Amino acid sequence: MKRVRAAVFASGSGSNFQVIIDQTDLPCEIAMLVCDNPTAPVIQKAERAGIDTFIFEPGNYQTKEEYESQLVQILKQHQIQWIFLAGYMRLVGSTLLNAYEGKIINIHPSLLPDFPGIDAIGQALREGVSVTGVTVHYIDEGIDTGPIIAQRSLKISKRESLEDLTKRIQAIEHQLYPEVIKQLIK
Ligand code: GRF
């Protein structure tokens, strides 16, 4: 039987990307990495794993619609059915959303709707909340909005540093994202 094909979109270090591709029992093939930052370390991770990579620079296009139209074309050529955003630091527009309705999910390091946007872990620390966590959600045109699929929480320790909390949140992300993918794609 033909396996479901998925793409990961990432702009940075790619620790979630690595964990996802390392799963031995994923119900889909990670057939592609899409990256909007030519210097992102995630690109080497994809190269090492022999995964096709499409790198683009948004600054080279006039509009979001223009680069997303090209992305949709490439994704379709690669028969991609699902898109997993993992540190893709860019809002998805209507061109991509319409082409992949209900098939784009994202992971975010807070209990949404709290602390959307960048530096969610720092936001939680500065706010002084005692609990934060991780959310996996469907994407819409907003910043970290869209229907929530799964959340996992953790208690923030007294005087916990940004570095320590980030490590603990990443550990949860690395468990939760593969779990959700396994539940969604059967
Ligand atoms: C993660 O914290 C994810 O929740 C957020 O971006 C970060 C990506 O980290 N959307 P990495 O590149 O997977 O290490």
Side-chain angles (χ1 to χ4, degrees), residues 16-160:
N16 281 282
F17 171 78
Q18 187 70 57
V19 164
I20 291 168
I21 66 172
D22 284 347
Q23 302 291 310
T24 52
D25 56 349
L26 213 62
C28 54
E29 178 185 349
I30 304 301
M32 212 179 167
L33 168 73
V34 172
C35 182
D36 63 345
N37 171 11
T39 63
V42 68
I43 295 168
Q44 275 130 48
K45 292 184 166 79
E47 270 167 17
R48 273 200 297 274
I51 293 173
D52 284 349
T53 302
F54 179 69
I55 305 163
F56 71 104
E57 289 188 78
N60 293 340
Y61 299 80
Q62 300 292 327
T63 60
K64 188 187 284 280
E65 193 188 339
E66 193 184 321
Y67 70 71
E68 286 197 346
S69 299
Q70 194 189 357
L71 281 181
V72 169
Q73 205 187 334
I74 289 162
L75 291 165
K76 297 287 178 191
Q77 273 165 10
H78 283 76
Q79 296 172 302
I80 299 297
Q81 293 154 276
W82 278 86
I83 297 173
F84 309 140
L85 307 184
Y88 178 64
M89 303 301 286
R90 199 160 285 282
L91 279 180
V92 174
S94 55
T95 308
L96 198 51
L97 278 170
N98 292 339
Y100 281 91
E101 208 187 332
K103 300 284 183 185
I104 312 180
I105 62 173
N106 179 45
I107 188 159
H108 183 77
S110 78
L111 295 176
L112 291 171
D114 290 343
F115 313 124
I118 56 165
D119 190 25
I121 303 172
Q123 288 185 55
L125 276 177
R126 285 191 293 278
E127 193 74 18
V129 295
S130 55
V131 174
T132 187
V134 173
T135 303
V136 179
H137 64 102
Y138 288 104
I139 279 289
D140 61 18
E141 280 187 72
I143 301 176
D144 300 318
T145 48
I148 290 171
I149 303 166
Q151 291 187 306
R152 199 152 291 165
S153 60
L154 85 171
K155 278 205 178 104
I156 300 179
S157 313
K158 279 219 169 77
R159 284 181 289 277
E160 184 158 9

